[in-house]
Amino acid sequence: MEIPFSEAYRIKMVEPIHKSTREQREQWIKQAHYNLFSLKSSQVFIDVLTDSGTGAMSDRQWSGMMLGDESYAGASSFQNLKDAVEKICTFPLVIPTHQGRAAENVLYSATLKEGDIVPGNSHFDTTKGHIEFRKAVAVDCTIDAASNTELELPFKGEMDLNKLEDCFKKYPKEQIPMCVLTVTNNTAGGQPVSMKNVRETSELCHKYGIPLQIDGARFAENAYFIKMREEGYADKSIKEIVREMLSYADIMTMSSKKDAVVNMGGFLAMRDEELYHKCSMYAVMNEGFLTYGGMNGRDMNALAIGLDENTEFDMLDTRIRQVAYLGSKLDEYGVPYQRPAGGHAIFLDAKKILTHVPKEQFIAQTLGIELYLEAGIRGVEIGSILADRDPKTGENRYPKLELLRLAIPRRTYTNNHMDVIAAACKNVYDRRESITRGYVITRELPVLRHFTVELEPAK
């Protein structure tokens, strides 16, 4: 018989997790003001709020941490990181940061001003938050197909080149400091971008003299999809694909808590020395010295090793197959989600599940609360709360997609946990007709409100 698939690792350490009763969860979510971020981890059974910093590091990474050089300046751990980024990601100039949004903060502090235009394929929340905080404008140029959750496309997170060129033609070059390409496209459902689209986006940017920034938090997963789905790449290694993909970019921001599988860390990388010097000032002001940037030496060692390990096929194959497994279980139960299954998460289509909840009562957030009440599973809303208010009108923005993201930490849960998630989703879906009211906001911040928002049930 054919040998079945199995994970490309074995488990050496476990952490206990505990179930709770529905009555307990009802009290806990009320105390958290119906914000899943505000729950204590001990109140959560299966935590799929994020895959950021929640993965299990390898034995090599833990060993590397013991050899961390904690020198304030010129640490050997920084050199290890710099060498890894240049070898794997092709960028010679590297500024370590404590995580991805810190890399965005350093870059945009040096490059953005009020009135600037930053086109991209579905900017993620922190990216858009940093742009709008500086009174610049994020312009979404994602392909229209991304908003049809039932449509099966191999590369559903791509940049629409016609939309992008229209943006370049509409605004003067001096008003567009960069274009952002996110791989994979998180906001659109963890959907990948083809090498062809990366290359053509780069060519169009350079035709108009606009630098291309790649948000590379999940660059390795994107490379996996290129290998598996794009003609001409089946025989190439993940590292070869990564090097080609990132060679088309001028700048890279990285939350290493994702595809480098570390608990904390990130970096900003680039090719232009003048930009490096501009960014250096903000890095020193906000992060730390240029050879540690908010990271310990041991964390830089773990990051360098993680970049190497997670750009190998077997680790990525194991990880992405688990996401696909959860998708297959939801298919069995008829639960709608953004198809095909993403690289790091399943994104439930809240609009198709909770058809009786008004958009003003935050459909995806309501679904997230129902899933938590059902089985102690914590996801995260990718919808109207995350979209924030329009900076000019102050009105809530209602995106085309209302999604509940179930982001699966790397090497952390088994497929038995995926079965529990799928069954809980089915139970909520089966009683969807009885869910007719959502939630209203009682307290919020003007930017990135979804992290700290407080809500109460709608009357």
Side-chain angles (χ1 to χ4, degrees):
M1 64 179 289
E2 183 179 351
I3 303 298
F5 175 80
S6 67
E7 292 78 7
Y9 54 83
R10 57 188 179 190
I11 298 167
K12 298 175 70 173
M13 184 182 295
V14 296
E15 174 188 359
I17 55 176
H18 302 285
K19 294 181 180 179
S20 56
T21 66
R22 185 180 177 95
E23 290 73 20
Q24 286 175 315
R25 295 192 292 273
E26 287 173 349
Q27 183 65 27
W28 291 336
I29 194 66
K30 182 179 180 181
Q31 292 170 348
H33 300 284
Y34 300 95
N35 183 344
L36 295 160
F37 282 97
S38 297
L39 290 167
K40 298 174 182 177
S41 63
S42 59
Q43 297 168 341
V44 177
F45 180 50
I46 300 176
D47 202 345
V48 285
L49 178 82
T50 182
D51 63 325
S52 180
T54 56
M57 290 200 300
S58 71
D59 51 356
R60 279 186 62 208
Q61 287 178 296
W62 282 109
S63 297
M65 290 187 74
M66 297 300 101
L67 299 173
D69 180 355
E70 305 303 342
S71 301
Y72 185 94
S76 60
S77 296
F78 169 73
Q79 192 61 50
N80 294 338
L81 173 60
K82 183 178 185 300
D83 291 346
V85 172
E86 185 163 13
K87 179 180 178 182
I88 295 167
C89 303
T90 77
F91 290 93
L93 303 172
V94 182
I95 297 175
T97 60
H98 76 272
Q99 62 184 86
R101 71 193 62 179
E104 293 171 341
N105 183 46
V106 170
L107 175 63
Y108 295 153
S109 293
T111 56
L112 290 191
K113 62 183 185 302
E114 183 175 348
D116 278 348
I117 304 296
V118 184
N121 62 330
S122 305
H123 312 70
F124 195 55
D125 60 346
T126 60
T127 313
K128 187 168 69 172
H130 278 299
I131 292 168
E132 293 184 346
F133 178 74
R134 291 165 174 82
K135 294 182 169 35
V137 180
V139 177
D140 188 2
C141 297
T142 313
I143 59 173
D144 291 337
S147 61
N148 182 351
T149 58
E150 296 178 355
L151 188 63
E152 293 268 1
L153 284 179
F155 295 101
K156 204 173 179 180
E158 293 191 322
M159 187 83 74
D160 186 314
L161 298 175
N162 291 324
K163 290 181 185 178
L164 184 60
E165 187 158 28
D166 287 345
C167 183
F168 288 164
K169 288 178 177 178
K170 182 176 180 180
Y171 300 99
K173 168 186 161 183
E174 294 73 23
Q175 201 175 342
I176 308 176
M178 77 272 295
C179 167
V180 183
L181 184 65
T182 306
V183 293
T184 57
N185 187 331
N186 188 2
T187 306
Q191 297 297 315
V193 177
S194 69
M195 187 73 82
K196 180 176 183 288
N197 191 247
V198 176
R199 181 173 59 251
E200 291 179 349
T201 300
S202 175
E203 290 170 352
L204 187 59
C205 286
H206 295 152
K207 172 184 173 183
Y208 285 87
I210 309 296
L212 176 62
Q213 172 202 342
I214 280 188
D215 177 346
R218 299 176 180 88
F219 74 101
E221 290 168 11
N222 199 86
Y224 173 92
F225 284 120
I226 289 173
K227 179 178 176 67
M228 301 302 287
R229 297 178 181 177
E230 190 165 358
E231 185 177 353
Y233 289 92
D235 295 330
K236 291 185 179 293
S237 70
I238 296 296
K239 283 185 168 64
E240 287 173 323
I241 295 169
V242 163
R243 282 193 287 267
E244 180 183 348
M245 180 174 66
L246 296 179
S247 73
Y248 296 124
D250 304 289
I251 305 163
M252 179 181 181
T253 48
M254 177 70 180
S255 172
S256 302
K257 298 163 68 177
K258 284 83 168 176
D259 269 1
V261 201
V262 290
N263 302 132
M264 185 59 70
F267 60 81
L268 168 62
M270 62 205 75
R271 308 187 195 284
D272 183 77
E273 287 196 14
E274 183 179 351
L275 177 61
Y276 173 80
H277 290 302
K278 286 181 180 178
C279 290
S280 294
M281 180 180 75
Y282 294 98
V284 172
M285 287 173 60
N286 295 307
E287 289 293 293
F289 188 60
L290 293 173
T291 57
Y292 76 90
M295 295 182 68
N296 298 310
R298 52 188 173 271
D299 290 327
M300 287 190 282
N301 272 3
L303 200 169
I305 294 167
L307 285 174
D308 178 50
E309 288 184 335
N310 210 43
T311 48
E312 294 295 336
F313 179 80
D314 286 347
M315 282 298 175
L316 289 164
D317 193 40
T318 300
R319 189 274 195 288
I320 292 173
R321 278 177 182 258
Q322 188 173 58
V323 180
Y325 175 81
L326 176 55
S328 71
K329 298 299 292 185
L330 295 177
D331 289 338
E332 286 182 35
Y333 301 144
V335 180
Y337 62 92
Q338 172 68 294
R339 308 179 65 87
H344 69 288
I346 290 292
F347 291 69
L348 299 179
D349 189 338
K351 282 185 179 179
K352 286 188 169 64
I353 297 173
L354 301 185
T355 57
H356 300 309
V357 176
K359 67 178 182 180
E360 294 81 8
Q361 294 177 15
F362 307 113
I363 305 169
Q365 181 71 12
T366 302
L367 180 60
I369 292 168
E370 290 295 330
L371 187 61
Y372 174 71
L373 291 173
E374 180 66 31
I377 297 162
R378 174 164 65 171
V380 67
E381 185 252 25
I382 307 291
S384 314
I385 295 182
L386 181 143
D388 279 338
R389 296 180 182 272
D390 185 291
K392 293 183 179 179
T393 67
E395 295 297 318
N396 280 320
R397 291 185 282 206
Y398 298 103
K400 292 179 181 178
L401 294 175
E402 283 278 347
L403 304 172
L404 178 67
R405 187 185 73 175
L406 310 176
I408 302 171
R410 294 158 185 81
R411 306 185 295 226
T412 301
Y413 292 113
T414 69
N415 281 2
N416 285 338
H417 294 105
M418 300 304 105
D419 290 340
V420 172
I421 294 172
C425 290
K426 178 185 185 301
N427 290 348
V428 174
Y429 186 63
D430 287 347
R431 58 180 174 82
R432 63 192 182 279
E433 295 294 327
S434 67
I435 304 170
T436 59
R437 291 189 299 173
Y439 296 82
V440 294
I441 293 175
T442 59
R443 184 188 296 271
E444 63 183 293
L445 295 177
V447 179
L448 295 174
R449 66 183 181 182
H450 72 120
F451 290 105
T452 56
V453 68
E454 296 181 4
L455 305 109
E456 66 181 14
K459 306 298 185 190

